[in-house]
Amino acid sequence: MYRTHTCGELNISKLNETVSLAGWVQRVRNLGGMTFIDLRDRYGITQLAFNEEWDHTLIEDARKLGREFVISITGKVIERSSKNANMSTGEIEIQVEKLEVLNAAKTPPFTIEDETDGGEELRMKYRYLDLRRNPVRENLLLRNRVNLEVRNYLSKLGFVDVETPFLIKSTPEGARDFVVPSRMNEGQFYALPQSPQTFKQLLMVGGIDKYFQIVKCFRDEDLRADRQPEFTQIDCEMSFVEREDILSTFEGLTKHLIKEITGNEVGDIPRMSYDEAMKKYGSDKPDIRFAMEFVELNETVKGQDFKVFDDAELVVGINGEGLAKYSRKQIDALINYVKRPQVGATGLVYCKYNEDGTLKSSVDKFYGPEQLEKWATAFGAKPGDLMLILAGPADKTRKALNDLRLHIAEEEGLRDPKVFAPLWVLDFPLLEWDEDTQRWYAMHHPFTAPYPKDLPLLETDPAAVRANAYDLVLNGNEIGGGSIRIHNKELQNKMFKFLGFSDEEAKAQFGFLMDAFEYGAPPHGGIAFGFDRLTAILGGKETIRDFIAFPKNNAGRDLMIDAPAALDQSQLAELSLDIRIAEKN
Ligand code: ASP
């Protein structure tokens, strides 16, 4: 037997017991005639004590141990002379009687401590060492807890976990597919699912009624900072439901998870239309942990010969409460921030509402005190506040102001990771016009049902057709999204046509679904949560990589196993493939 206990469980109640422990050497400290070793496993750290007077050879052996050696020991639990109140095992140590080296270890390339000296790439390459660090392990344990809570909650409601295939055909989530060549079908390829969307709909046609799956999805996208080419969804679908049924079911799940995982109680989840979100926050995933809502100022500011405002489609601002104290330097930093190409504003107008009640703006030449009073009223500003205003084309300006709002909130510590503010965003437009390809795209995916009463608009004003779709936003992140689906073949056909699919294309790609709709498809709808991001946010963090055991880097590489990689000639031959790398244009 390697161990009788783990390294995290012994305490003063076990005094004088003989125990065996196994684990990794975290640290060896030699102090005169004594040597102490911190022995670590998944559950904690226990101090091992060796004394020249107890056993001369044993202490010699202990002194030879290096970091991360795997050992097992047997010894007696004794009381420590200098106790450590921060550790659950801090009152005891083990007087070691027997030591066995189970495996030696090379010196690790970075320190296995909470604060490590290893950079991200190095830690990814040796991820199995990184996993030994507390913060990484705790993230995985948290992920496991969220997973279990989801399973239990949904199972109690009658949801059935059904696995769907990975070797499939293109699914329409709007990203590129990862493809897999088929050996048995020369020259043909499977696509990996961007989501199980079509299968979960077929499960509804199959009468499963309530489905869920915690499932890998694959999307070949350019990886912005915090995306992974393979990621996990909590994927769900329900039959005989209307939007309200879905919202209330998954509102329940969301509140349950926040409560169980973080201890926070959240009330009813507020709802906002897409239009309102864009108008008030310039984003379809507003962070509502703090206010700073947009105030539109066209009526208030135009007509004073200030060309920038007069010529702008939209003049819009936010009120930074208590920020009139900002120095010239801080304001310049904000101006530089909005002018960054990623933000894209041409300038920033500000107006300080000083504590003494006076108003001081950066455009005093055009706006006298009376005018500025009007601004303050529009903003609902009070002494001590700082009004910040952008002007320009409406969409671009809203986007820039959203960036500025989040930037200020970040700087001011308003994005507290321990506060949880979920929000439903509803009534998305069904369609999005793409300038480059000059065609309409489904904003969610082509199976999303339009609002029935908006249907006639499809011919006359497609941009105005609303989708029966919803997103769940948590702390400014989209953590879930779904829709009521089209369940009728004619409407689905019409939608495909509208989206530029020819009859043949629609049939080739989604014929199976259209066929299924002819055999009694129930009304249905669903939602999918981004499991990695949800877990990260519940863990109070932003990076999903930290919550994935073996993540990939921004170039889609697994640095540990060194994938992707070229194939052997023999493998290629089996697949009847001949590789020639075409030049990219
Ligand atoms: N399949 C969708 C997605 O991955 C979610 C859904 O509509 O249920 O975004």
Side-chain angles (χ1 to χ4, degrees), residues 243-347:
R243 181 174 85 178
E244 203 52 45
D245 302 302
I246 306 259
L247 296 187
S248 68
T249 305
F250 293 97
E251 175 151 345
L253 174 66
T254 306
K255 286 181 182 173
H256 176 79
L257 291 177
I258 293 177
K259 171 109 197 298
E260 288 305 312
I261 304 295
T262 75
N264 283 269
E265 301 246 12
V266 293
D268 288 348
I269 300 183
R271 298 174 181 195
M272 194 179 285
S273 72
Y274 170 85
D275 286 347
E276 190 184 350
M278 295 310 287
K279 227 171 134 64
K280 280 192 178 161
Y281 300 98
S283 164
D284 60 0
K285 41 178 191 296
D287 189 340
I288 56 163
R289 280 174 293 183
F290 51 93
M292 278 201 276
E293 282 177 17
F294 290 11
V295 177
E296 297 195 353
L297 299 161
N298 282 12
E299 320 284 75
T300 318
V301 300
K302 289 205 180 211
Q304 301 295 317
D305 291 335
F306 180 45
K307 229 176 131 30
V308 175
F309 283 176
D310 285 352
D311 293 351
E313 184 186 356
L314 179 68
V315 183
V316 57
I318 50 176
N319 182 37
E321 274 182 55
L323 300 187
K325 59 173 193 261
Y326 270 18
S327 64
R328 181 69 231 184
K329 202 166 142 215
Q330 280 172 300
I331 291 181
D332 282 346
L334 292 184
I335 296 173
N336 288 334
Y337 175 82
V338 298
K339 284 184 172 171
R340 283 153 64 152
Q342 308 92 301
V343 180
T346 43

Side-chain angles (χ1 to χ4, degrees), residues 4 39 68 77 80 148 207 228 231 257 267 277 299 436 519 537:
T4 55
L39 187 67
E68 302 305 314
V77 181
R80 267 208 222 180
L148 285 177
Q228 286 282 307
F231 60 96
L257 291 177
E299 320 284 75
D436 292 343
Y519 289 96
I537 297 172

Side-chain angles (χ1 to χ4, degrees), residues 118-163:
E120 171 138 37
E121 297 265 299
L122 193 62
R123 288 190 290 115
M124 291 298 147
K125 182 160 160 59
Y126 296 94
R127 185 65 164 174
Y128 47 87
L129 295 178
D130 203 25
L131 291 173
R132 290 186 196 161
R133 295 171 51 237
N134 290 321
V136 184
R137 188 191 50 245
E138 276 158 21
N139 288 348
L140 290 189
L141 296 185
L142 181 93
R143 183 182 176 109
N144 178 57
R145 273 174 61 210
V146 179
N147 185 315
L148 285 177
E149 287 298 338
V150 170
R151 284 184 187 287
N152 289 336
Y153 189 91
L154 293 177
S155 302
K156 272 193 202 133
L157 293 181
F159 282 81
V160 189
D161 180 353
V162 184
E163 287 161 82

Side-chain angles (χ1 to χ4, degrees), residues 250-462:
F250 293 97
E251 175 151 345
L253 174 66
T254 306
K255 286 181 182 173
H256 176 79
L257 291 177
I258 293 177
K259 171 109 197 298
E260 288 305 312
I261 304 295
T262 75
N264 283 269
E265 301 246 12
V266 293
D268 288 348
I269 300 183
R271 298 174 181 195
M272 194 179 285
S273 72
Y274 170 85
D275 286 347
E276 190 184 350
M278 295 310 287
K279 227 171 134 64
K280 280 192 178 161
Y281 300 98
S283 164
D284 60 0
K285 41 178 191 296
D287 189 340
I288 56 163
R289 280 174 293 183
F290 51 93
M292 278 201 276
E293 282 177 17
F294 290 11
V295 177
E296 297 195 353
L297 299 161
N298 282 12
E299 320 284 75
T300 318
V301 300
K302 289 205 180 211
Q304 301 295 317
D305 291 335
F306 180 45
K307 229 176 131 30
V308 175
F309 283 176
D310 285 352
D311 293 351
E313 184 186 356
L314 179 68
V315 183
V316 57
I318 50 176
N319 182 37
E321 274 182 55
L323 300 187
K325 59 173 193 261
Y326 270 18
S327 64
R328 181 69 231 184
K329 202 166 142 215
Q330 280 172 300
I331 291 181
D332 282 346
L334 292 184
I335 296 173
N336 288 334
Y337 175 82
V338 298
K339 284 184 172 171
R340 283 153 64 152
Q342 308 92 301
V343 180
T346 43
L348 174 69
V349 168
Y350 67 88
C351 176
K352 277 186 176 182
Y353 200 149
N354 295 315
E355 293 288 358
D356 64 7
T358 57
L359 288 151
K360 169 88 193 105
S361 85
S362 55
V363 284
D364 283 348
K365 258 207 280 183
F366 301 94
Y367 297 90
E370 241 169 67
Q371 290 295 328
L372 296 181
E373 283 291 344
K374 284 195 194 149
W375 292 20
T377 311
F379 275 110
K382 31 179 212 333
D385 292 352
L386 173 67
M387 296 164 254
L388 297 160
I389 302 166
L390 296 180
D395 289 351
K396 205 171 151 214
T397 305
R398 288 196 177 105
K399 191 204 144 286
L401 192 60
N402 165 50
D403 289 342
L404 178 65
R405 175 177 179 268
L406 294 176
H407 174 72
I408 293 175
E410 193 70 56
E411 303 252 294
E412 291 298 312
L414 300 174
R415 305 192 76 184
D416 182 351
K418 297 217 160 59
V419 173
F420 295 90
L423 168 75
W424 287 112
V425 178
L426 309 172
D427 304 343
F428 281 82
L430 184 72
L431 302 158
E432 227 170 2
W433 177 253
D434 182 63
E435 276 300 328
D436 292 343
T437 50
Q438 291 284 306
R439 48 161 281 206
W440 293 100
Y441 282 87
M443 192 149 177
H444 191 50
H445 50 57
F447 310 119
T448 296
Y451 266 38
K453 66 170 184 293
D454 289 358
L455 255 184
L457 293 173
L458 208 50
E459 323 292 339
T460 53
D461 186 6

Side-chain angles (χ1 to χ4, degrees), residues 172-173 194-198 200-201 217 219 231 233-237 444-445 447-448 470-471 478 480-485 525-529:
E173 303 292 352
Q194 294 182 30
S195 86
Q197 183 62 36
T198 44
K200 65 176 175 176
Q201 292 193 240
C217 301
R219 295 185 192 177
F231 60 96
Q233 280 189 347
I234 309 168
D235 193 44
C236 309
E237 195 77 6
H444 191 50
H445 50 57
F447 310 119
T448 296
Y470 29 79
D471 270 4
E478 182 200 325
S483 58
I484 296 297
R485 323 297 183 190
I527 190 166
F529 289 81

Side-chain angles (χ1 to χ4, degrees), residues 1-5 19-22 72-74 98 100 102:
M1 186 167 51
Y2 287 114
R3 58 183 175 190
T4 55
H5 294 82
V19 297
S20 298
L21 299 177
S72 78
I73 59 99
T74 299
K98 206 172 122 226
E100 190 185 345
L102 301 174

